[in-house]
Amino acid sequence: AWFRIDADHLTLSWGSEGPHDYQGQLSVSPSGEAASTVTVRLHTTHQAEGIEDGIDETLANIQRIAGSSGELNPGAGTS
């Protein structure tokens, strides 16, 4: 497994070697004077029940911890 931090670009990347080609990236970009947008990208070839629910729960927790009162992006998908 690997984990990389790119502080200059406000990005975290992670992944693991193996048969499912699992990897992800979280990036933060300014979105106004007092707000930011967090983008999470995930890739895996593994299909299992509950993955989308786990992603939704994780994103909601990030939003809660960050103190945002905004809505999650309704256009976000987990495909």
Side-chain angles (χ1 to χ4, degrees), residues 35-65:
S36 296
T37 298
V38 175
T39 302
V40 179
R41 292 181 179 88
L42 297 173
H43 172 78
T44 184
T45 58
H46 181 72
Q47 296 292 322
E49 272 191 48
I51 289 178
E52 290 183 24
D53 292 337
I55 293 168
D56 291 342
E57 183 178 340
T58 299
L59 293 174
N61 283 330
I62 291 170
Q63 186 176 31
R64 179 183 54 78
I65 291 167

Side-chain angles (χ1 to χ4, degrees), residues 29-37:
S29 58
S31 182
E33 287 186 35
S36 296
T37 298

